[in-house]
Amino acid sequence: MKGQRGFSVGECLSVVAIIALLAALMFPAVGLARRAAQRTVCISQLRQVGLAIRLYREDYQELPPYLSAVRIYVSDPRVFVCPTDPLEGKHAVQDTLGDSLRLEGNFYLPTGVSYTYVPNWGIARMLGWWQPGPPYGEGKWGELTPLSECHWHWARYFNPRWQTDRITGARGWVLVLTLSGAVRRVRAELPPEAFSPEHYY
Ligand SMILES: [Zn+2]
């Protein structure tokens, strides 16, 4: 029976360690691939929202008063909900200042809205990005003026002050739908008062 033996404890531990190492190497890759796929879906949704806004403007000659007002121009109301948004667009609408409605949540649309609508930000008006109230005009930077944003690709939880302040610890990318309908990226660390289209990626 010489030469026949099972695996030693040391060999078993080595195999377990190698499997654990491979798993540790693979799971972040799976997570990254998943986040990349979600980002792609979100970009596609923002483009659809941009197209819907263009159609709305052709019909009414002005921008919609809020984002989900373009609901009739999209095939599915779920395009307003980012796949990475843990609250699925159902954020409480909070407006203590009177004119700085942040996210629509499910205020107008029961299925929820994940995206911000820049023309309604108090800070965007204060900085002259948009005129105060419809028809808003073309915006400070014309076709490059930010129209809507998705913060869910860096944010872990909802923060109604996303655009009025630099958020402590913010790191990552914000997806931005511009007035032209293109979707760009901008750093979450950048405070609104420092924004200009040169910061787009
Ligand atoms: Zn998103």
Side-chain angles (χ1 to χ4, degrees):
M1 298 301 280
K2 252 190 167 183
Q4 272 195 13
R5 62 184 185 90
F7 292 109
S8 72
V9 172
E11 284 165 338
C12 281
L13 285 176
S14 301
V15 169
V16 168
I18 289 165
I19 289 170
L21 179 67
L22 286 174
L25 287 172
M26 279 181 67
F27 279 120
V30 170
L32 283 176
R34 187 160 154 268
R35 281 202 292 279
Q38 289 172 327
R39 194 163 54 237
T40 304
V41 169
C42 184
I43 289 169
S44 161
Q45 292 185 171
L46 282 170
R47 286 199 185 116
Q48 288 177 63
V49 171
L51 184 62
I53 290 172
R54 176 168 298 183
L55 295 172
Y56 182 100
R57 292 180 78 194
E58 281 171 10
D59 284 351
Y60 296 95
Q61 308 300 316
E62 64 178 26
L63 282 174
Y66 52 92
L67 198 62
S68 59
V70 302
R71 161 69 186 100
I72 60 160
Y73 299 98
V74 299
S75 55
D76 185 340
R78 302 289 295 175
V79 302
F80 296 101
V81 179
C82 174
T84 60
D85 178 356
L87 297 174
E88 298 183 325
K90 295 178 181 66
H91 317 289
V93 173
Q94 39 202 305
D95 188 1
T96 52
L97 299 174
D99 69 339
S100 60
L101 196 66
R102 306 299 313 150
L103 297 184
E104 290 167 28
N106 52 354
F107 191 68
Y108 303 110
L109 198 58
T111 44
V113 175
S114 299
Y115 304 132
T116 70
Y117 187 49
V118 184
N120 278 346
W121 301 347
I123 187 84
R125 296 175 189 179
M126 196 184 78
L127 296 169
W129 296 14
W130 291 100
Q131 299 164 13
Y136 299 112
E138 66 165 0
K140 188 174 181 178
W141 298 283
E143 294 289 277
L144 292 172
T145 305
L147 191 54
S148 182
E149 291 186 342
C150 183
H151 285 257
W152 293 108
H153 306 275
W154 70 267
R156 288 202 185 85
Y157 44 84
F158 176 59
N159 187 327
R161 297 172 68 80
W162 272 335
Q163 290 303 319
T164 54
D165 290 305
R166 179 204 286 262
I167 303 299
T168 310
R171 262 186 80 79
W173 294 103
V174 179
L175 298 180
V176 184
L177 169 68
T178 66
L179 197 57
S180 69
V183 178
R184 313 292 289 269
R185 290 186 306 162
V186 77
R187 295 300 300 181
E189 299 92 312
L190 186 74
E193 61 270 24
F195 172 83
S196 82
E198 295 93 73
H199 291 105
Y200 281 138
Y201 286 84

